[in-house]
Every structure is written in C-alpha cells, then in structure tokens.
CSV table of all heavy atoms in Angstrom, one decimal:
chain,number,residue,atom,x,y,z
K,575,ILE,N,0.8,-1.2,0.0
K,575,ILE,CA,0.0,0.0,0.0
K,575,ILE,C,0.9,1.2,0.0
K,575,ILE,O,0.6,2.2,-0.7
K,575,ILE,CB,-0.9,0.0,1.2
K,575,ILE,CG1,-1.9,-1.2,1.1
K,575,ILE,CG2,-1.7,1.3,1.3
K,575,ILE,CD1,-2.8,-1.3,2.3
K,576,THR,N,1.9,1.2,0.8
K,576,THR,CA,2.9,2.3,0.9
K,576,THR,C,4.2,1.7,1.1
K,576,THR,O,4.3,0.5,1.3
K,576,THR,CB,2.5,3.3,2.0
K,576,THR,OG1,3.4,4.4,1.9
K,576,THR,CG2,2.6,2.7,3.4
K,577,THR,N,5.3,2.4,1.0
K,577,THR,CA,6.6,1.9,1.2
K,577,THR,C,6.7,1.3,2.6
K,577,THR,O,6.5,2.0,3.6
K,577,THR,CB,7.7,3.0,1.0
K,577,THR,OG1,7.5,3.6,-0.3
K,577,THR,CG2,9.1,2.4,1.0
K,578,GLU,N,7.1,0.0,2.7
K,578,GLU,CA,6.9,-0.7,3.9
K,578,GLU,C,8.2,-0.7,4.8
K,578,GLU,O,8.2,-1.0,5.9
K,578,GLU,CB,6.6,-2.2,3.6
K,578,GLU,CG,5.2,-2.3,3.0
K,578,GLU,CD,4.9,-3.8,2.6
K,578,GLU,OE1,5.8,-4.6,2.6
K,578,GLU,OE2,3.7,-4.0,2.4
K,579,GLY,N,9.3,-0.3,4.2
K,579,GLY,CA,10.6,-0.2,5.0
K,579,GLY,C,11.6,0.4,4.2
K,579,GLY,O,11.4,0.9,3.0
K,580,GLY,N,12.8,0.5,4.7
K,580,GLY,CA,13.9,1.1,4.0
K,580,GLY,C,14.5,0.2,2.9
K,580,GLY,O,14.2,-1.0,2.9
K,581,LEU,N,15.3,0.8,2.1
K,581,LEU,CA,16.0,0.1,1.0
K,581,LEU,C,17.1,-0.8,1.7
K,581,LEU,O,17.9,-0.3,2.5
K,581,LEU,CB,16.6,1.0,0.0
K,581,LEU,CG,17.3,0.5,-1.2
K,581,LEU,CD1,16.3,-0.2,-2.1
K,581,LEU,CD2,18.0,1.6,-2.0
K,582,ASP,N,17.1,-2.1,1.3
K,582,ASP,CA,18.1,-3.0,1.9
K,582,ASP,C,19.4,-2.9,1.1
K,582,ASP,O,19.7,-3.7,0.2
K,582,ASP,CB,17.6,-4.4,1.9
K,582,ASP,CG,18.5,-5.3,2.8
K,582,ASP,OD1,19.6,-4.9,3.1
K,582,ASP,OD2,18.1,-6.5,3.1
K,583,VAL,N,20.2,-1.8,1.3
K,583,VAL,CA,21.4,-1.6,0.6
K,583,VAL,C,22.4,-2.6,0.9
K,583,VAL,O,23.2,-3.1,0.1
K,583,VAL,CB,21.9,-0.2,0.9
K,583,VAL,CG1,23.2,0.1,0.1
K,583,VAL,CG2,20.9,0.9,0.6
K,584,TYR,N,22.4,-3.0,2.2
K,584,TYR,CA,23.4,-4.0,2.6
K,584,TYR,C,23.3,-5.3,1.8
K,584,TYR,O,24.3,-5.9,1.4
K,584,TYR,CB,23.2,-4.3,4.1
K,584,TYR,CG,24.1,-5.3,4.7
K,584,TYR,CD1,25.4,-5.0,5.1
K,584,TYR,CD2,23.7,-6.6,4.9
K,584,TYR,CE1,26.3,-5.9,5.6
K,584,TYR,CE2,24.6,-7.6,5.4
K,584,TYR,CZ,25.8,-7.2,5.8
K,584,TYR,OH,26.7,-8.1,6.4
K,585,ALA,N,22.1,-5.8,1.5
K,585,ALA,CA,21.9,-7.0,0.8
K,585,ALA,C,22.0,-6.9,-0.7
K,585,ALA,O,22.2,-7.9,-1.4
K,585,ALA,CB,20.6,-7.7,1.2
K,586,HIS,N,21.7,-5.7,-1.2
K,586,HIS,CA,21.7,-5.5,-2.6
K,586,HIS,C,22.7,-4.4,-3.1
K,586,HIS,O,22.4,-3.5,-3.9
K,586,HIS,CB,20.3,-5.1,-3.1
K,586,HIS,CG,19.2,-6.1,-2.7
K,586,HIS,ND1,18.4,-6.0,-1.6
K,586,HIS,CD2,18.9,-7.3,-3.2
K,586,HIS,CE1,17.6,-7.0,-1.5
K,586,HIS,NE2,17.9,-7.9,-2.5
K,587,LYS,N,23.8,-4.4,-2.5
K,587,LYS,CA,24.8,-3.3,-2.7
K,587,LYS,C,25.2,-3.1,-4.1
K,587,LYS,O,25.4,-2.0,-4.6
K,587,LYS,CB,26.0,-3.6,-1.8
K,587,LYS,CG,26.9,-2.3,-1.6
K,587,LYS,CD,28.1,-2.7,-0.7
K,587,LYS,CE,27.6,-3.1,0.7
K,587,LYS,NZ,28.8,-3.4,1.6
K,588,ASP,N,25.4,-4.2,-4.8
K,588,ASP,CA,25.9,-4.2,-6.2
K,588,ASP,C,24.9,-3.5,-7.1
K,588,ASP,O,25.2,-2.6,-7.9
K,588,ASP,CB,26.3,-5.5,-6.7
K,588,ASP,CG,27.5,-6.1,-6.1
K,588,ASP,OD1,28.3,-5.3,-5.5
K,588,ASP,OD2,27.7,-7.3,-6.2
K,589,SER,N,23.6,-3.9,-7.0
K,589,SER,CA,22.6,-3.3,-7.9
K,589,SER,C,22.4,-1.8,-7.5
K,589,SER,O,22.2,-1.0,-8.4
K,589,SER,CB,21.3,-4.1,-7.8
K,589,SER,OG,20.8,-4.1,-6.5
K,590,VAL,N,22.4,-1.5,-6.2
K,590,VAL,CA,22.2,-0.1,-5.8
K,590,VAL,C,23.4,0.7,-6.2
K,590,VAL,O,23.3,1.9,-6.7
K,590,VAL,CB,22.0,0.0,-4.3
K,590,VAL,CG1,21.8,1.5,-3.9
K,590,VAL,CG2,20.7,-0.8,-3.9
K,591,ARG,N,24.6,0.1,-6.2
K,591,ARG,CA,25.8,0.8,-6.6
K,591,ARG,C,25.7,1.3,-8.1
K,591,ARG,O,26.1,2.4,-8.4
K,591,ARG,CB,27.0,-0.1,-6.4
K,591,ARG,CG,28.3,0.7,-6.6
K,591,ARG,CD,29.5,-0.4,-6.7
K,591,ARG,NE,29.5,-1.3,-5.6
K,591,ARG,CZ,30.1,-1.0,-4.4
K,591,ARG,NH1,30.7,0.2,-4.3
K,591,ARG,NH2,30.1,-1.9,-3.5
K,592,GLU,N,25.1,0.4,-8.9
K,592,GLU,CA,25.0,0.7,-10.3
K,592,GLU,C,24.0,1.9,-10.5
K,592,GLU,O,24.3,2.8,-11.3
K,592,GLU,CB,24.4,-0.5,-11.1
K,592,GLU,CG,25.4,-1.6,-11.2
K,592,GLU,CD,24.8,-2.8,-12.0
K,592,GLU,OE1,23.7,-2.6,-12.6
K,592,GLU,OE2,25.4,-3.9,-12.0
K,593,ALA,N,22.9,1.9,-9.7
K,593,ALA,CA,22.0,3.1,-9.8
K,593,ALA,C,22.7,4.4,-9.3
K,593,ALA,O,22.5,5.4,-10.0
K,593,ALA,CB,20.7,2.8,-9.0
K,594,VAL,N,23.4,4.3,-8.2
K,594,VAL,CA,24.0,5.5,-7.7
K,594,VAL,C,25.0,6.0,-8.7
K,594,VAL,O,25.1,7.2,-8.9
K,594,VAL,CB,24.7,5.1,-6.3
K,594,VAL,CG1,25.6,6.3,-5.9
K,594,VAL,CG2,23.6,4.8,-5.3
K,595,ALA,N,25.8,5.1,-9.3
K,595,ALA,CA,26.8,5.5,-10.2
K,595,ALA,C,26.2,6.2,-11.5
K,595,ALA,O,26.7,7.2,-11.9
K,595,ALA,CB,27.7,4.3,-10.7
K,596,ARG,N,25.1,5.7,-11.9
K,596,ARG,CA,24.4,6.2,-13.1
K,596,ARG,C,23.9,7.6,-12.8
K,596,ARG,O,24.0,8.6,-13.6
K,596,ARG,CB,23.2,5.4,-13.5
K,596,ARG,CG,22.4,5.9,-14.7
K,596,ARG,CD,23.2,5.8,-16.0
K,596,ARG,NE,22.5,6.4,-17.1
K,596,ARG,CZ,22.7,7.7,-17.5
K,596,ARG,NH1,23.5,8.5,-16.8
K,596,ARG,NH2,22.0,8.1,-18.6
K,597,LEU,N,23.3,7.8,-11.6
K,597,LEU,CA,22.8,9.1,-11.2
K,597,LEU,C,23.9,10.1,-11.0
K,597,LEU,O,23.8,11.3,-11.4
K,597,LEU,CB,21.9,9.0,-10.0
K,597,LEU,CG,20.7,8.1,-10.2
K,597,LEU,CD1,20.0,7.7,-8.8
K,597,LEU,CD2,19.6,8.8,-11.0
K,598,HIS,N,25.0,9.7,-10.3
K,598,HIS,CA,26.1,10.6,-10.1
K,598,HIS,C,26.8,11.0,-11.4
K,598,HIS,O,27.3,12.1,-11.5
K,598,HIS,CB,27.1,9.9,-9.1
K,598,HIS,CG,26.8,10.0,-7.7
K,598,HIS,ND1,27.5,9.3,-6.7
K,598,HIS,CD2,25.9,10.8,-7.0
K,598,HIS,CE1,27.0,9.6,-5.5
K,598,HIS,NE2,26.1,10.5,-5.7
C-alpha cells in the first residue's frame, strides 16, 4: 500500500551501486 521499509542496501549493494553511479 505504501513503502513498507527502508531500502536494503546491505543485501543489494551491487545493484544499488549501479544506480548510484548512473545518477552521479
């Protein structure tokens, strides 16, 4: 219904890293 929790960066660091790099 709404965002249920925070982004699990610890478990998905590689995929989040790609997004951060693209935005930066």
Side-chain angles (χ1 to χ4, degrees):
I575 295 175
T576 185
T577 306
E578 294 175 347
L581 184 65
D582 192 349
V583 182
Y584 179 80
H586 303 99
K587 195 179 300 180
D588 289 342
S589 60
V590 177
R591 189 192 307 275
E592 291 181 9
V594 171
R596 179 70 183 94
L597 296 166
H598 276 169

